[in-house]
Amino acid sequence: MLRLNIFKTYQLNGATDRDSFKSKIPMVTYEDLQPEIQRIANGDKSPILSSRPISEFLTSSGTSAGERKLMPTIEEEMDRRQLLYSLLMPVMNLYVPGLDKGKGLYFYFIKAEAKTPGGLVARPVLTSYYKSKQFKTRPYDPYNVITSPNETILCVDSFQSMYSQMLCGLIMREEVLRVGAVFASGLLRAIRFLQLNWKELANDIATGSLNHKVTSPSIRECMAKILKPNQELAEFITNECSDENWEGIITRLWPNTKYLDVIVTGSMAQYIPTLDYYSGGLPKPCTMYASSECYFGLNLRPMSKPSEVSYTIMPNMGYFEFLPHDPSAPAFSRESPPRLLDLADLEAGKEYELVITTYSGLNRYRVGDILLVTGFYNKAPQFRFVRRKNVLLSIESDKTDESELQKAIENASLLLREFSTSVVEYTSYADTKIIPGHYVIYWELLVKDPANSPTGEVLNRCCLAMEESLNSVYRQSRVADNSIGPLEIRVVKNGTFEELMDYAISRGASINQYKVPRCVSFTPIMELLDCRVVSKHFSPSAPHWTPERRS
Ligand code: AMP
């Protein structure tokens, strides 16, 4: 796996053994690699990271300086990913019989692509996968039949894509055995879409003609073969969807659904109660754990409860090393690098940060995920996904860290200057009670001149100013996907944050070490804050976003 430039830079003198690798190659972050990645993006085709040609960049939902990270990848990597996908159904089949007797209703989407200055495509890993020959020309497999034709998935307009996929799902409702999306947030977006569009969908089914809002010729062509007038089905959908109560809607519309295929681990756990509400508590197997950098592994006991999900890393996906995660340990330096452990050396009950070496040329790269070893499958450790390092707020694939939130607050508070007002304290909350979820920021203000305090309109603009300074993944979700709602600022009464501290201290926090939590989710704290809200403000419009990168 070692690549040409690495041999030179770290003076490996031709050595390819594990000890030389471990002693000479340093652990890196994305920022360390950025100069090399930029060279590749600018068109340098020499073997900088990998001896194989870089075929494209995968844009990770992790960001650096506000932009999506660019992960180089090579042609053969697609087959490796396909290998992991091909194992999912055989595992599922051990637990759920008869999955070859029907279809999966999956909501899959592609996103806009960009080109780097050197001409390489940059797009999300799933967009790359859905557009690949491995996906588009997959051989027939009775266990992997889905209701969405390729044309409906391969449309970059998210409304047309969702509309036609939902329509197919409704038409084939009795054949559907599993309902899914990649992440839980995606499936809930589909349910919200249905709430907003069921009348038009039912009308299409009644008349057998496709809504004129779907303009893509290829979708129209393939839907013409599927959509036939069906008055009875249209009435059934109207009956179910016009009922105010949407509890169990998934099993009402798709009565043969055996499970929901969505990831509900990590930040997606916040959606479990809503999924249970809409599905009457159907099982939610989390089948795989993967990233743009590398696919990692799969869940060998997919029917376990979400809180007990463990993933088994597949050693053939890359070379995996583990940094013991101990927040209280002294920081390491180049002179005293940390010791990275191999899969075989891990201990149950301990947390580790994942470090990967990939076939595409990332060497000892820190992914940023913290994993807990829960046990072993034969000798292979199994991992619970604990969290992503430094992520404060997340609604779907967006990841906002503390420094980004701080910067956004600073930018927004510039608008308060002319009112001699400043933000003295703040905290945040990812509100996912309604779909799409949105960021809520609690502000305590110091208004020096009450006769000239900021108006509601100014505070609305502060919401937009915050959104403008959040990263591109956030802005894309707001603008292109509508999967995040307008940011909200809730101004709280003066003294609220002191009360918050009193509350924390009453629960055992140390006065000396108390820090305002920059993100809250604990119900009593939410209640305390919400009881003291004096005004609420929302972004009046969407922030700026285009598929092109800013830098
Ligand atoms: P991306 O960079 O957009 O490819 O996102 C990859 C990241 O998503 C991983 O590093 C994890 O933080 C998160 N992720 C992927 N799969 C899972 C999973 N099954 N459970 C929890 N988090 C996941």
Side-chain angles (χ1 to χ4, degrees):
M1 259 187 261
L2 291 186
R3 301 302 174 208
L4 302 182
N5 269 22
I6 291 275
F7 281 95
K8 259 194 279 170
T9 314
Y10 299 109
Q11 298 173 346
L12 284 166
N13 300 325
T16 55
D17 61 288
R18 187 189 302 226
D19 288 343
S20 308
F21 175 79
K22 283 191 177 269
S23 61
K24 299 209 164 146
I25 310 288
M27 191 168 65
V28 292
T29 61
Y30 182 81
E31 283 66 28
D32 297 323
L33 294 181
Q34 212 161 17
E36 275 117 342
I37 287 181
Q38 200 55 53
R39 267 174 62 197
I40 300 171
N42 288 344
D44 189 336
K45 293 201 166 49
S46 60
I48 296 173
L49 291 174
S50 173
S51 60
R52 316 274 162 86
I54 300 299
S55 52
E56 63 181 299
F57 281 108
L58 302 176
T59 53
S60 157
S61 61
T63 53
S64 175
E67 292 292 342
R68 283 174 181 272
K69 290 177 184 169
L70 289 177
M71 296 300 168
T73 190
I74 56 174
E75 203 79 49
E76 69 178 59
E77 197 55 29
M78 191 63 79
D79 290 327
R80 207 166 279 115
R81 283 187 217 123
Q82 180 61 39
L83 175 68
L84 188 72
Y85 284 127
S86 71
L87 295 173
L88 302 180
M89 284 313 281
V91 173
M92 228 32 241
N93 196 32
L94 296 174
Y95 298 89
V96 186
L99 291 171
D100 55 336
K101 306 287 183 295
K103 296 181 178 174
L105 163 55
Y106 283 84
F107 296 95
Y108 289 150
F109 300 93
I110 59 164
K111 292 200 181 197
E113 302 181 353
K115 276 230 161 122
T116 67
L120 284 172
V121 172
R123 56 189 176 183
V125 61
L126 292 173
T127 299
S128 169
Y129 178 62
Y130 301 141
K131 286 186 158 184
S132 70
K133 64 173 188 325
Q134 284 84 344
F135 179 78
K136 285 199 292 195
T137 57
R138 57 196 183 278
Y140 174 78
D141 167 3
Y143 288 92
N144 260 319
V145 182
I146 57 174
T147 53
S148 301
N150 289 352
E151 292 81 352
T152 62
I153 297 171
L154 296 171
C155 171
V156 80
D157 180 300
S158 61
F159 176 89
Q160 297 184 47
S161 177
M162 178 78 94
Y163 192 94
S164 50
Q165 293 193 53
M166 185 62 84
L167 197 53
C168 293
L170 291 170
I171 294 168
M172 300 174 215
R173 63 181 281 271
E174 288 185 354
E175 293 167 77
V176 170
L177 301 182
R178 47 203 169 106
V179 175
V182 178
F183 288 112
S185 55
L187 182 53
L188 289 174
R189 231 179 98 208
I191 300 299
R192 179 74 192 136
F193 184 90
L194 186 60
Q195 281 174 336
L196 297 174
N197 296 284
W198 63 263
K199 280 187 193 145
E200 287 173 288
L201 289 156
N203 181 56
D204 288 9
I205 293 174
T207 58
S209 61
L210 185 60
N211 192 324
H212 65 270
K213 286 189 211 156
V214 180
T215 54
S216 150
S218 58
I219 295 186
R220 292 200 74 87
E221 193 181 320
C222 85
M223 290 306 296
K225 293 183 207 129
I226 297 170
L227 184 61
K228 301 279 175 295
N230 185 339
Q231 197 61 39
E232 199 187 329
L233 177 59
E235 273 167 29
F236 173 79
I237 292 165
T238 306
N239 257 337
E240 292 298 337
C241 296
S242 54
D243 187 341
E244 289 273 284
N245 180 4
W246 273 49
E247 190 168 357
I249 193 74
I250 295 181
T251 34
R252 283 195 263 147
L253 292 176
W254 296 286
N256 300 318
T257 313
K258 296 174 192 256
Y259 62 89
L260 303 182
D261 195 349
V262 283
I263 289 176
V264 289
T265 42
S267 65
M268 291 296 145
Q270 61 188 329
Y271 296 107
I272 293 173
T274 322
L275 285 175
D276 284 344
Y277 176 80
Y278 287 131
S279 72
L282 280 177
K284 295 166 284 300
C286 296
T287 52
M288 68 188 282
Y289 167 44
S291 78
S292 315
E293 293 88 329
C294 181
Y295 278 20
F296 305 129
L298 73 172
N299 178 0
L300 293 170
R301 281 189 222 97
M303 300 315 267
S304 49
K305 281 197 260 162
S307 55
E308 285 162 16
V309 168
S310 287
Y311 298 101
T312 304
I313 284 186
M314 302 257 305
N316 49 350
M317 293 287 127
Y319 175 50
F320 298 97
E321 292 178 282
F322 298 85
L323 176 65
H325 179 62
D326 177 5
S328 59
F332 45 78
S333 60
R334 250 171 213 273
E335 292 69 46
S336 62
R339 208 168 77 82
L340 296 182
L341 303 175
D342 285 332
L343 269 170
D345 303 325
L346 306 186
E347 288 176 56
K350 294 211 167 149
E351 286 187 0
Y352 300 91
E353 184 185 331
L354 182 61
V355 178
I356 56 169
T357 295
T358 68
Y359 290 90
S360 306
L362 298 177
N363 286 283
R364 310 195 101 185
Y365 175 92
R366 299 174 76 168
V367 176
D369 289 350
I370 308 294
L371 308 176
L372 168 78
V373 178
T374 51
F376 293 84
Y377 181 85
N378 296 331
K379 290 209 166 140
Q382 296 186 297
F383 300 90
R384 174 161 319 149
F385 179 90
V386 179
R387 63 190 169 84
R388 175 106 178 175
K389 260 177 30 187
N390 304 330
V391 172
L392 213 53
L393 287 167
S394 174
I395 299 287
E396 49 131 50
S397 56
D398 55 304
K399 301 177 176 68
T400 297
D401 69 22
E402 199 162 327
S403 65
E404 284 173 320
L405 182 64
Q406 170 75 28
K407 205 174 106 240
I409 303 262
E410 283 165 13
N411 281 346
S413 43
L414 294 178
L415 298 173
L416 302 176
R417 271 202 192 154
E418 60 175 298
F419 300 94
S420 311
T421 296
S422 52
V423 180
V424 283
E425 271 307 352
Y426 68 89
T427 189
S428 65
Y429 168 61
D431 186 350
T432 51
K433 283 195 280 297
I434 29 174
I435 303 295
H438 71 292
Y439 287 12
V440 174
I441 318 294
Y442 292 91
W443 271 11
E444 186 170 319
L445 298 177
L446 177 66
V447 183
K448 293 212 181 99
D449 175 10
N452 180 33
S453 60
T455 60
E457 196 263 320
V458 170
L459 287 159
N460 292 345
R461 281 199 285 124
C462 288
C463 296
L464 183 58
M466 284 196 66
E467 295 199 300
E468 289 290 4
S469 44
L470 290 174
N471 63 54
S472 69
V473 178
Y474 175 90
R475 286 178 285 110
Q476 179 171 14
S477 300
R478 270 284 277 132
V479 178
D481 309 337
N482 290 315
S483 52
I484 300 183
L487 183 143
E488 177 182 0
I489 291 177
R490 294 186 190 161
V491 178
V492 292
K493 268 201 270 195
N494 282 4
T496 301
F497 279 83
E498 229 173 286
E499 284 185 63
L500 203 67
M501 179 170 84
D502 292 343
Y503 178 79
I505 289 166
S506 75
R507 286 177 53 94
S510 138
I511 302 187
N512 292 326
Q513 284 161 264
Y514 176 77
K515 292 175 205 75
V516 176
R518 291 306 177 203
C519 182
V520 291
S521 57
F522 186 48
T523 312
I525 293 194
M526 306 297 308
E527 284 170 1
L528 188 155
L529 287 165
D530 281 327
C531 285
R532 284 150 188 82
V533 170
V534 289
S535 60
K536 295 182 175 186
H537 309 272
F538 288 91
S539 238
S541 56
H544 159 275
W545 178 80
T546 58
E548 287 84 48
R549 301 168 68 83
R550 277 181 178 174
S551 52

